Amino acid sequence: MGLPLMMERSSNNNNNNVVELSRVAVSDTHGEDSPYFAGWKAYDENPYDESHNPSGVIQMGLAENQVSFDLLETYLEKKNPEGSMWGTKGAPGFRENALFQDYHGLKTFRQAMASFMEQIRGGKARFDPDRIVLTAGATAANELLTFILADPNDALLVPTPYYPGFDRDLRWRTGVKIVPIHCDSSNHFQITPEALESAYQTARDANIRVRGVLITNPSNPLGATVQKKVLEDLLDFCVRKNIHLVSDEIYSGSVFHASEFTSVAEIVENIDDVSVKERVHIVYSLSKDLGLPGFRVGTIYSYNDNVVRTARRMSSFTLVSSQTQHMLASMLSDEEFTEKYIRINRERLRRRYETIVEGLKKAGIECLKGNAGLFCWMNLGFLLEKKTKDGELQLWDVILKELKLNISPGSSCHCSEVGWFRVCFANMSENTLEIALKRIHEFMDRRRRKEKMIN
Amino acid sequence: MTRTGIYRSRSGTPDSKTSAGNDGGGGGGGTTVMRVIVPLQGVVQGRGGLVLGSVIPCAFFYFLQFYLKRNRRDEPVSESDPANQNSGSSPDNSGSSSPTQSELTGLSRSLSRVIISPRSSGAHVSVSGRANSILKGGDSPYHLGLKRVEEDPYDELGNPDGIIELGLAQNKLSSALVSDQNLIGLSLSGIASYEPSDGLMELKMVVAKLMSEATKNAVCFDPSQLVLTSGAASAIEILSFCLADSGNAFLVPTPCSPGFDVDVKWRNGVEIIHVPCRSSDNFNISVTALDRTFSQAKKRGVRIRGIIISNPSNPMGRLLSRENLYALLDFAREKNIHIISNEIFACSIHGDEEAEFVSIAEIADTEENLDKERVHIVYDLSKDLSFPGLRAGAIYSFNENVLAASRKLTTLSPVSSPSQHLLMSAISKPEFLQTYVKTNRQRLQRIYSEFVKGLKGLGIECTRSNGGLFCWADMRGLISSYSEKGEIELWNKFLDIGKFNVTPGSCCHCIEPGWFRFCFSNLSEKDVLVVMNRIRKVCVTCKSQN
C-alpha cells in the first residue's frame, strides 16, 4: 500500500526534494581541500618503497614516528608468540597495521561488516562496503549522524519509549533537540501516522525545524521489531516532509525469528529514486549482537554520498582501532562461523526470553509481546499506588532496595504511560535469572498477603 | 520630570492622544505601538509619574553598574600592569631585535609577577556553559541504577545478596562461540564487556608513568586526572568543547599544528585567533603579541577562553623553557583564561643533553589551585609509541569540572578494549619503557642531524629543533614569489617533480611564506640521501626559473 504511493509521488518530485544536510556538514572547516590532505592522498596513491617502488612519493607530511618500531614489535612478539594480538588467521605486518589510521577503515573489515549485515537480514538487502563508515561504537555513530543531518536547535523526532542514552548521544554536543513521537500500549506501542503528524506539528508550533526521524528497530526498550507497514509509512512521511530517516538496527541480529525482522534496507532495496534513498541511514554495532561492547565497533551505513563522505571525515574523532578491525575482520568474514553464530544466538535469546516471560507470568506480571533484543518490557502499572511518574519511581526504588534488582523505569525512556519497566535478561547465567525471578515471586507473594490482610 | 516633559512635547497631535492618555490606558489609535506608548504616557504623566520617573532611571543605573561589575571580574589587572605598558611598542617592529627580545619581554613580566600581578586574582576560571549543563544534568534512574549495581554487584558465591543487574542490555549468552574462534590470547571476559569509557585505571596508571618518564620524573602525573580518548584529535575537541562555548575563541600562536583547525573548530563552533610569530624572533611566542591580539578580540566583542600551545612546538620542534611557561601562565592568570598544552611529542625529544622537556604540569604544580585549574594537557600515546592505528589519546587536567565533563564525553570516542590491553602490555614494564625512550631519542637525534646536515648542504637552513618529529626549513630562497601562491607552487613542485610530500607553512598558518615542515621520523638513513637528491632536483628547476 505505502510503496506504490511513494513511487507515484516520487516521480513528481524531480530534484526539488533533495534532502539537506547541516551547516557543519557542508562547511569546509574539515580543511580537506588543503595541501595538507592533498599531499597525503598523493602519497597514498603512490607510496615510496625502497625496493618495490623507489620512484614513489616519499611521505614527509605526516608527523608519525617510525624510527623505533622494531623495538616495540620485538617486545610484543616475545610476549605474544602466536601473534594473537592480531587474530590467528595470518598476522599482518606489524608496521602496516600499527600505522593504519585511514578513516576509510580496513577494506577487509568493511567487507566483513557488509557481509555480516547481509547475513543478518537473510540476504534480503545488499550492503556496499564503500558505504560503510566506521565509528568507535553506535553511540558515536548516532551523534555523528545528528551532527551531519541537523543544525543546533533543530529537532529529530524519536518514538517513545526510547533508549535513555539518546538524550545524551543526540543532544549533548550537537545542540539538537528530541521531539517525542508518543506511542502507547493500545496498539503495542507501534508508531502511527497520527502520532508522527502530531509530533511534527508540535515541533512546528514551537518554531523548531524537524530534520529527521530516528527509530530503533528492533526497538529498545520494547524488545519488538517494527512492522513492515510502519516502516513504509515512515519513509513516506519522511519523503513528504523532506526529512531524513535514521534506523538504529543494533539489535537486528538479536531477533528471535529472522523472518520477523524487516530492515529499512529491504524497503530501500527496491527503490530506484535517489531522492528517496538519500534520506535513509542505518546505524549498526557489534556490541549487542556479538556481545563485544568493549571493542567499540559501530558503523553508519548511508545511501547518501555526501553523508558517507562527511561521516568518514568526521569519524577521525572516533576511529575504530586498527588492531580491533584486524582482529574481527577474519572472524566476521568467515561465513560458516557467522551463520552458525547468528542462528545459535537467536535461539538462546528466544529461550531466555521465554523463560523470563513465563516466570513473570507465573508471578502475575504481564509483558509486552516481544520478539527481539536483550530485554522484555514489563507492565507493573497495576502495582502503582499512584499512577504517576513519582509512583513509578517509588516502585523502582523499592525494587532496587528491597528486591535488589536493577531494572529500568519507563519514565527514563520517556514512556508516556506509567508503570512499564525494561528488564534485561541476556547478561547473566540461568541460575542468576532464576534467583531474580524468585525474588520477584516472593515480592508478589508478600504483596498479595498484605492485600489480603488489609481486606 | 524630564520624561513627562518629553512625552508632552512629543504628543504633537493633540486631542486624541491627550485624551487617550488621560484615560490611562487603551490607545485611541489602532496600532499596538500606540497601545503601549499611550498607557506609558498615562502612567508617567499621571498617577505614577514622579515615582516611576525617578525609580526607572535609578533601577537602570544600578542594573548597569551590576552588569559592568560582573564583567569586570573577568579581567582583573591587565590594564594597570606597567610591564605591559612598557612593552607597548611591538617588538616585531624593532628590526635589530635579538632573538630573545620577546622572551625578554616575557621574562620581565615574570620577574614582575611577584610585585604587580597578584598571585591569585581571586577569580575562578570558568568552564563553558555547555560543559556545565553536562555536569548539572543529573543522572536518570537508568544511570543511577547502573551505578548502584557497581557498588553492590550480585555474585552467586561472593555476594548472593547483591543487586542483580537487569538494567544493562548486554549479551553474554554466546560469548563462548566468539572466544572459541581464538581471537586473542586473553580471555574475552576480560575485555569484551562494557568498561569505563574514559579508560581502564590500569592503563591510566601506565600512561601516567610514561608521561612522568618523559619529564624525567620532574612531574608525577596522577592517573585519576587522566581521561583517555580515541586519539589526540578527540582529546583536543573535547577540551575545546569544555572550555569554550560556541562563538568563543582560542588564541593560537602560529605557525601551529595543521590539525587544530579541524579539532578545535569544526563541530564546536569555536574560533581560533592566530597570533603570528616571526622568523626575526626565531618564531618565539611573544606575550605582548598575545596581549595585543587579546585586546583586539575583546574590542570586537569576541570572548577569548584560552591559549593553545604545543610543547615541543609543531612545526618548529622547539622546547618551551620554564620562563616561557611561567610567562604564559601569568598571561593566562591575568586574563583569567585557560591554557591547553599539546604535549604529544613529549617522548620525542632528540636535542642534546641540555634539551630539557618541561611539562606545563611542572609549572602548574607549584601554583595555587586557581592557577592549576586553568592548565590542561593533551597527550597521544600513538605518537611516542609509533602506534597511531590504536587510537589512544589523553586529556590531563587539574580541573575537576573539566575532568568530569570530559569523562562523560568519552562515551562518544572511547579507546577500544583490546587495544587498551595491548598498550598496557607494551608500556607496563619500566625497563622496556626506559630503554625505549632512550633508544628512540638517540635514533631521532641521528636522523635529525643527518637530515639537517643534508639540507644545509643544499643551502637550506632550518630553525633549531630539539623535539618532535620534524624540522622547519627556510625555503624562501626557492619560491618564485614571496607569497602563499609562490609557496604552493614550490610545494607542487616538491610533489610532482621531487615526488615527496611536505607540509607548506601556510597549512601551519605561518605568516611568512616560504617555510616548510619536513617530517623525518619515518625515514631510514638511506632514505635521507634519496630525499636530498630529490630536493636538489627541485632546487635546480627553481634556480633555473628564477
Side-chain angles (χ1 to χ4, degrees):
Chain A
M1 275 278 285
L3 214 47
L5 270 173
M6 233 171 6
M7 297 187 76
E8 191 188 288
R9 209 173 285 122
S10 59
S11 62
N12 294 333
N13 273 340
N14 306 323
N15 250 340
N16 302 338
N17 238 11
V18 172
V19 69
E20 284 177 30
L21 303 188
S22 67
R23 281 191 286 275
V24 156
V26 304
S27 83
D28 56 8
T29 317
H30 53 73
E32 295 231 347
D33 309 316
S34 75
Y36 188 61
F37 287 97
W40 280 18
K41 233 169 98 191
Y43 166 75
D44 280 339
E45 286 162 10
N46 182 17
Y48 168 81
D49 181 278
E50 195 185 329
S51 5
H52 304 299
N53 190 17
S55 59
V57 175
I58 298 183
Q59 170 70 294
M60 286 184 286
L62 184 52
E64 298 298 349
N65 183 4
Q66 297 181 32
V67 305
S68 309
F69 251 150
D70 58 307
L71 292 179
L72 197 59
E73 192 171 12
T74 326
Y75 179 74
L76 286 172
E77 269 167 8
K78 262 204 292 219
K79 286 193 114 191
N80 303 287
E82 299 93 42
S84 54
M85 58 185 170
W86 300 117
T88 46
K89 303 241 171 84
F94 179 90
R95 171 177 289 251
E96 59 190 56
N97 210 279
L99 288 186
F100 184 80
Q101 53 179 338
D102 180 357
Y103 56 33
H104 285 80
L106 216 58
K107 181 133 194 165
T108 49
F109 183 60
R110 277 184 288 122
Q111 284 166 339
M113 281 293 274
S115 118
F116 189 63
M117 288 167 76
E118 280 172 5
Q119 266 196 310
I120 285 177
R121 289 157 184 76
K124 288 187 263 175
R126 301 222 59 93
F127 288 93
D128 174 1
D130 290 333
R131 289 194 171 284
I132 288 186
V133 176
L134 300 171
T135 61
T139 302
N142 279 317
E143 192 202 33
L144 225 115
L145 271 178
T146 309
F147 265 120
I148 293 175
L149 306 180
D151 288 303
N153 297 317
D154 289 345
L156 289 178
L157 304 183
V158 183
T160 65
Y162 61 76
Y163 163 57
F166 281 162
D167 288 329
R168 168 198 67 195
D169 307 343
L170 307 180
R171 297 186 327 166
W172 257 358
R173 296 194 291 190
T174 62
V176 169
K177 303 183 190 336
I178 295 178
V179 171
I181 303 169
H182 292 292
C183 303
D184 57 65
S185 56
S186 61
N187 69 339
H188 307 288
F189 294 97
Q190 290 280 332
I191 307 165
T192 63
E194 295 77 32
L196 273 172
E197 280 293 343
S198 164
Y200 189 85
Q201 199 50 49
T202 306
R204 288 292 295 270
D205 290 342
N207 248 330
I208 298 172
R209 186 177 168 197
V210 175
R211 300 304 288 267
V213 177
L214 189 147
I215 62 165
T216 310
N217 176 24
S219 158
N220 176 8
L222 300 176
T225 53
V226 178
Q227 292 163 11
K228 183 171 184 182
K229 167 84 171 62
V230 174
L231 288 174
E232 288 168 351
D233 286 345
L234 264 171
L235 188 50
D236 219 30
F237 175 80
C238 290
V239 169
R240 267 186 287 122
K241 306 293 189 193
N242 193 18
I243 59 180
H244 294 274
L245 176 58
V246 177
S247 179
D248 183 343
E249 302 188 349
I250 66 170
Y251 294 103
S252 46
S254 307
V255 182
F256 311 150
H257 300 284
S259 54
E260 293 179 9
F261 174 61
T262 307
S263 164
V264 75
E266 287 172 50
I267 315 260
V268 171
E269 187 83 357
N270 302 318
I271 297 177
D272 286 322
D273 187 344
V274 174
S275 77
V276 172
K277 278 175 115 122
E278 272 191 343
R279 59 191 76 247
V280 177
H281 323 279
I282 298 173
V283 168
Y284 187 59
S285 158
L286 296 180
S287 306
K288 307 297 183 184
D289 290 342
L290 277 185
L292 297 174
F295 277 49
R296 314 289 184 181
V297 178
T299 104
I300 294 173
Y301 188 89
S302 176
Y303 295 90
N304 183 317
D305 291 342
N306 283 332
V307 171
V308 171
R309 196 169 26 243
T310 311
R312 227 183 251 140
R313 288 174 182 163
M314 233 185 238
S315 70
S316 49
F317 292 112
T318 183
L319 293 178
V320 178
S321 160
S322 58
Q323 175 208 20
T324 305
Q325 291 186 53
H326 225 104
M327 266 179 158
L328 297 175
S330 52
M331 185 182 83
L332 280 187
S333 48
D334 180 346
E335 284 191 12
E336 200 186 305
F337 166 74
T338 52
E339 188 276 329
K340 183 176 103 177
Y341 178 89
I342 293 169
R343 190 176 22 93
I344 297 182
N345 184 45
R346 287 197 210 275
E347 183 53 35
R348 289 181 183 177
L349 286 171
R350 185 188 61 77
R351 264 189 279 131
R352 201 45 94 79
Y353 173 79
E354 278 167 9
T355 306
I356 195 175
V357 166
E358 275 305 307
L360 289 172
K361 198 169 190 160
K362 285 205 182 98
I365 298 172
E366 292 291 328
C367 294
L368 180 77
K369 182 134 190 351
N371 60 352
L374 314 177
F375 31 71
C376 59
W377 189 234
M378 176 172 80
N379 190 355
L380 295 182
F382 67 100
L383 288 180
L384 297 185
E385 287 173 19
K386 286 181 275 153
K387 303 257 190 275
T388 61
K389 182 173 161 187
D390 275 335
E392 182 184 278
L393 289 177
Q394 265 173 33
L395 180 58
W396 170 76
D397 202 48
V398 164
I399 294 177
L400 185 59
K401 302 221 167 82
E402 277 183 34
L403 280 79
K404 302 291 202 96
L405 298 175
N406 179 37
I407 58 179
S408 311
S411 48
S412 299
C413 307
H414 301 272
C415 187
S416 45
E417 275 178 33
V418 291
W420 292 88
F421 289 81
R422 187 190 79 165
V423 185
C424 299
F425 54 69
N427 60 324
M428 68 203 68
S429 66
E430 275 186 48
N431 282 347
T432 310
L433 182 57
E434 270 175 41
I435 307 258
L437 284 170
K438 200 165 110 197
R439 290 185 189 177
I440 295 176
H441 275 263
E442 285 165 2
F443 171 71
M444 293 300 288
D445 282 341
R446 283 200 299 275
R447 277 191 82 109
R448 266 182 234 116
R449 268 180 270 133
K450 214 161 80 181
E451 269 164 26
K452 259 202 191 136
M453 276 169 49
I454 295 173
N455 291 347
Chain B
M1 319 251 318
T2 334
R3 289 196 127 197
T4 47
I6 289 173
Y7 278 111
R8 235 182 249 134
S9 64
R10 275 223 191 115
S11 32
T13 43
D15 305 323
S16 58
K17 281 211 185 87
T18 325
S19 54
N22 285 339
D23 285 342
T31 67
T32 335
V33 173
M34 284 311 298
R35 283 203 195 101
V36 170
I37 292 181
V38 172
L40 259 181
Q41 250 186 341
V43 162
V44 173
Q45 283 175 342
R47 282 155 285 172
L50 263 175
V51 175
L52 281 170
S54 39
V55 163
I56 292 172
C58 284
F60 182 70
F61 176 75
Y62 282 121
F63 178 73
L64 184 65
Q65 289 302 306
F66 174 64
Y67 175 77
L68 287 177
K69 210 180 199 170
R70 257 187 50 196
N71 280 7
R72 215 179 281 138
R73 221 181 277 145
D74 284 348
E75 299 112 32
V77 191
S78 46
E79 279 81 313
S80 59
D81 185 351
N84 190 11
Q85 283 162 7
N86 284 343
S87 50
S89 58
S90 137
D92 306 334
N93 293 336
S94 38
S96 59
S97 59
S98 65
T100 52
Q101 172 74 23
S102 327
E103 278 178 292
L104 275 177
T105 314
L107 263 179
S108 64
R109 283 167 72 80
S110 65
L111 283 178
S112 62
R113 281 162 72 224
V114 174
I115 313 156
I116 308 308
S117 38
R119 267 299 173 144
S120 61
S121 59
H124 269 283
V125 68
S126 55
V127 297
S128 63
R130 47 194 180 180
N132 271 327
S133 42
I134 291 180
L135 291 172
K136 261 189 290 189
D139 281 328
S140 76
Y142 177 75
H143 294 104
L144 283 173
L146 296 176
K147 277 199 194 133
R148 289 293 305 277
V149 173
E150 267 172 47
E151 292 160 11
D152 180 18
Y154 169 82
D155 182 272
E156 200 174 332
L157 303 166
N159 189 17
D161 291 325
I163 308 178
I164 299 182
E165 178 61 281
L166 299 168
L168 185 57
Q170 190 171 330
N171 183 1
K172 290 187 177 168
L173 299 186
S174 313
S175 302
L177 288 177
V178 172
S179 61
D180 281 349
Q181 284 294 99
N182 219 1
L183 261 189
I184 34 177
L186 306 164
S187 133
L188 260 193
S189 67
I191 66 170
S193 299
Y194 280 111
E195 279 149 4
S197 57
D198 64 320
L200 295 166
M201 183 44 91
E202 300 99 306
L203 179 55
K204 287 189 201 175
M205 283 166 61
V206 295
V207 172
K209 279 219 181 73
L210 177 62
M211 291 169 73
S212 306
E213 182 76 37
T215 67
K216 299 207 167 125
N217 292 310
V219 179
C220 184
F221 284 94
D222 179 355
S224 65
Q225 287 171 239
L226 267 175
V227 169
L228 301 183
T229 64
S230 59
S234 166
I236 296 176
E237 191 191 37
I238 290 177
L239 271 179
S240 161
F241 177 89
C242 289
L243 304 181
D245 285 298
S246 189
N248 294 160
F250 285 99
L251 292 180
V252 177
T254 58
C256 64
S257 160
F260 283 165
D261 286 332
V262 173
D263 302 343
V264 173
K265 294 178 10 169
W266 195 13
R267 303 195 295 186
N268 286 331
V270 170
E271 275 312 308
I272 288 182
I273 299 182
H274 296 127
V275 184
C277 305
R278 297 178 191 277
S279 54
S280 48
D281 295 332
N282 252 331
F283 295 104
N284 281 318
I285 303 172
S286 148
V287 176
T288 317
L290 281 174
D291 203 16
R292 188 174 52 239
T293 314
F294 185 94
S295 311
Q296 285 167 354
K298 197 165 151 217
K299 281 205 194 90
R300 288 197 326 263
V302 175
R303 186 173 172 195
I304 304 284
R305 298 309 286 264
I307 316 167
I308 307 179
I309 56 165
S310 296
N311 179 23
S313 62
N314 181 356
M316 287 81 67
R318 176 83 43 70
L319 285 172
L320 294 179
S321 67
R322 275 192 187 79
E323 288 74 23
N324 294 147
L325 294 170
Y326 270 120
L328 285 166
L329 191 50
D330 274 355
F331 177 77
R333 182 192 306 119
E334 263 182 36
K335 308 299 186 192
N336 196 20
I337 58 179
H338 295 271
I339 300 185
I340 298 178
S341 178
N342 185 15
E343 299 185 354
I344 65 177
F345 296 110
C347 281
S348 307
I349 309 303
H350 55 70
D352 46 41
E353 282 312 304
E354 289 110 55
E356 192 196 7
F357 168 66
V358 181
S359 167
I360 198 168
E362 189 188 315
I363 312 296
D365 247 339
T366 60
E367 301 295 301
E368 288 179 29
N369 275 334
L370 289 179
D371 275 342
K372 274 181 155 139
E373 285 192 348
R374 57 181 92 253
V375 172
H376 320 277
I377 297 172
V378 172
Y379 186 59
D380 188 352
L381 274 168
S382 55
K383 294 290 184 195
D384 288 333
L385 288 182
S386 326
F387 216 143
L390 278 194
R391 313 311 303 168
I395 293 171
Y396 189 88
S397 176
F398 294 89
N399 186 317
E400 263 318 307
N401 284 334
V402 171
L403 286 175
S406 304
R407 269 180 214 123
K408 289 190 172 195
L409 288 172
T410 52
T411 47
L412 282 334
S413 54
V415 186
S416 176
S417 182
S419 305
Q420 291 194 56
H421 285 264
L422 181 58
L423 283 167
M424 276 192 283
S425 121
I427 58 180
S428 54
K429 271 252 159 75
E431 310 87 60
F432 168 72
L433 202 55
Q434 278 159 17
T435 315
Y436 180 86
V437 171
K438 189 159 141 234
T439 315
N440 185 41
R441 203 175 170 126
Q442 287 166 351
R443 290 180 184 182
L444 282 174
Q445 166 69 11
R446 206 164 37 236
I447 293 279
Y448 168 74
S449 345
E450 285 301 310
F451 201 83
V452 167
K453 203 168 76 183
L455 285 178
K456 198 160 188 166
L458 294 171
I460 297 167
E461 294 288 335
C462 295
T463 58
R464 182 90 202 282
S465 156
N466 293 318
L469 312 174
F470 28 69
C471 55
W472 186 234
D474 183 356
M475 306 197 127
R476 290 178 288 182
L478 293 172
I479 50 180
S480 54
S481 68
Y482 191 68
S483 62
E484 189 177 324
K485 184 156 167 281
E487 182 183 282
I488 298 298
E489 249 174 51
L490 181 58
W491 173 76
N492 272 309
K493 283 207 185 118
F494 285 151
L495 205 48
D496 297 332
I497 303 173
K499 295 290 184 88
F500 56 86
N501 178 40
V502 291
T503 310
S506 47
C507 287
C508 305
H509 299 286
C510 183
I511 207 170
E512 299 174 20
W515 291 85
F516 285 79
R517 185 189 77 167
F518 284 75
C519 298
F520 52 75
S521 51
N522 56 334
L523 303 176
S524 67
E525 283 178 52
K526 258 195 270 175
D527 292 334
V528 173
L529 293 170
V530 176
V531 169
M532 292 308 147
N533 281 332
R534 294 192 185 189
I535 299 179
R536 186 178 295 114
K537 208 162 117 185
V538 177
C539 288
V540 162
T541 64
C542 293
K543 293 208 166 95
S544 61
Q545 268 181 13
N546 296 350

